[in-house]
Amino acid sequence: MRIDVLGAVRAFHDDGSPVELGGPRHREVLGRLVAAEGRMVTTDTLVDDLWTDPPTRAVGALRTFVATLRRSLEPDRPPRNPPRVLVTEGPGYALRLPRENVDVHRFQDTLARTRRAPEAVSDLGAVLADWRGPAYADVTGSAWAQRERTRLEELRLEGVELRARILLDSGEGADLVAELGAHVAEHPWREPAWGLLARALYRAGRQADALATLRRARTMLVDQLGLDPGADLQRLETDILNRSAPLEGAPPAWTGPGVRLGPRTTVHLARTLALAGGDALVHSRRDRLAAVQAAERTGDPLLTARIIGAYDVPALWSRADDPEQSRAVVAAAERTLTALGPDGPADLRTRLLATVAVESRSADQSGTELKRAQQAARQAEALARDLADPALLAFALNGVFLQSFTRPGLAALRDGIGAEILDLATGHGLPNFAVLGRLVRLQSASSLGDLDAAASHAEAAERLAATTEAPLVSVLTGWFRARATAARSTEPGGPTPATAAAHYRAAEDALRTAGMPGLHRGLFALALLGLRLLHDRPAPTDPHLDWGPYRPWARPLVLLAQDRAEEARAALATVPEPPRDHMQEALWCLTARAAVRLDDGETAARAEAALRNAHAEHAGASSGMLTLGPVTRYLTEAQACAGTG
């Protein structure tokens, strides 16, 4: 059978006849399972997604919807035979269909394949034609569907532009004028789209119209955003005026299987895709590394330095999404620095040093690696200040920020870094770094317990994201609002802990598909633990919770919640020192709490010494995403246990 969700939710039997899916709730259940991409969705999650205020018999109603869908999807299934399409799995349900039988999965897979192999561009055109309207168009008023619509629309726009770019690079594309004209009219803030339209007009023999299009783009950007066009549009205008070779029909960037886009094109595309999140972000990382490796194979260190340094995508989190890839990029940057030598171009050396600092995330590095990264951050900052290049300095300061987790209690220092990034970005038209500056300041204000200031930065970041089309921002600010709800749940008349938990769950659902595993893994479990600690309740013991990298620090408290004190004591004895990252204060507080509960004065003393400088901060809140409450609460307990008060 076939299921379509790129438009209204619908299904068809093998013979092409439509499946009668039932009412809106039935179609929403099916759509929600499609969005899970084969993963099991728990009954609790389905209930929360279907109803803002679930009725008393919500679970029973859900089971009725599922039973009806099963009869519709498999009308010939014999009685008492288990279903094969909509299956029960653990505490929930999953959809079992080949990916090519679901239009949204077919679209995503084709887009990913075309990124790797541009010769699949005709397949990309076919799946783009499958779109019948907004995804899950008939599922209205549901937060999960709105998130999916936003994510998939970004991928659709990316697909339209990728297809156009590949056709134009290959010497075709004169017939794209009408399509790209409509695309630009609907999405005027997508600067690369203006360039594609201008290229298509030029390819169609309309040089004057191509130039007029670029001037219209410049006018719109300057008048409405106060931004000058990027270097790519300015270079394109020069090429059109000069009738340069690439626009007259250069050889295609790819000619058949096994031949790929050149490293310059690939890294530019990767940089663009990185800001889209989800699948685009995952493939962006891979394509970026491929471009770096291709550049190194040329033996040209100047080219390699430009390719590595061109990926100046702002980074906020101190744990890498792909540590092995990050190490490979750092190693390439260090080799290129050596090849350039101390007398190499200062701007390229600055970009390479900043790349080392940004990619050497503190949670994933050894002590020696961290020292090298911190030195690289300092050198990049100094060089960038000497060069007086605002964009380069903003990139270098991003590295300084990511290397600023040397000990607990540095929220105020990071706020200063965020403020300088924001000033640079605002004054020099760097919208992506303006978003970074806002989010850094959000984290710092959250850490210091100033929720009003943090909320102000969140709102400003969201406004910027609306113009820069950065869908990941709303994922991060959604977590902040869940963190704020958790903090308010301790206040008289505030939201209930259950409401705070529901906010965390919604934030978790949005993050699951954002393409940031370094941020995602373990975050939801740690947030729930923090919520319980705020209300003096034992740790959650659900065996299905994924603690990710935070398991060693959470385990003693989980064991205590299960009345397994001796095992908890043994687990506490093996707990390592927390990595120097966003969560170090939180992990030290977990260690302190377990030590106090187990009357382990020596461990409590270590935790107290580590947390002393963070006494004015809130544990876990430097992430901007969760909170365990004020550090001073854990510090006071640890001091009493250790006898150091």
Side-chain angles (χ1 to χ4, degrees), residues 34 36 43 62 74 137 164 247 286 295 311 340 354 362 372 378 386 398 414 448 546 561 590 630:
V34 166
T43 298
L62 172 62
E74 298 183 73
L247 291 168
R286 183 209 58 220
Y311 193 91
L340 289 178
S362 52
R372 288 209 310 268
R378 290 192 295 270
D386 286 344
N398 195 173
R414 286 191 287 277
L448 295 168
D546 176 15
L590 295 184

Side-chain angles (χ1 to χ4, degrees), residues 5-28:
V5 299
L6 298 179
V9 177
R10 63 186 190 180
F12 299 90
H13 293 298
D14 287 342
D15 62 4
S17 61
V19 175
E20 178 52 55
L21 294 176
R25 291 295 193 196
H26 299 79
R27 293 195 298 278
E28 182 170 2

Side-chain angles (χ1 to χ4, degrees), residues 118 165-166 168-171 250-256 259-262 265-266:
R165 184 176 291 110
I166 291 171
L168 289 164
D169 286 349
S170 68
W254 55 272
T255 56
V259 181
R260 300 289 183 264
L261 294 168
T265 305
T266 301

Side-chain angles (χ1 to χ4, degrees), residues 1-76:
M1 66 173 304
R2 190 182 93 226
I3 295 177
D4 294 345
V5 299
L6 298 179
V9 177
R10 63 186 190 180
F12 299 90
H13 293 298
D14 287 342
D15 62 4
S17 61
V19 175
E20 178 52 55
L21 294 176
R25 291 295 193 196
H26 299 79
R27 293 195 298 278
E28 182 170 2
V29 170
L30 183 61
R32 180 64 182 84
L33 294 174
V34 166
E37 301 200 35
R39 296 186 298 273
M40 181 271 291
V41 183
T42 66
T43 298
D44 287 347
T45 297
L46 286 168
V47 167
D48 288 343
D49 284 343
L50 261 65
W51 290 281
T52 304
D53 185 15
T56 304
R57 299 182 59 81
V59 173
L62 172 62
R63 288 173 179 156
T64 300
F65 299 151
V66 169
T68 302
L69 283 169
R70 283 172 169 166
R71 287 193 296 271
S72 299
L73 297 174
E74 298 183 73
D76 300 325

Side-chain angles (χ1 to χ4, degrees), residues 255-276:
T255 56
V259 181
R260 300 289 183 264
L261 294 168
R264 287 177 184 271
T265 305
T266 301
V267 81
H268 173 77
L269 179 59
R271 182 184 183 277
T272 302
L273 297 182
L275 300 171

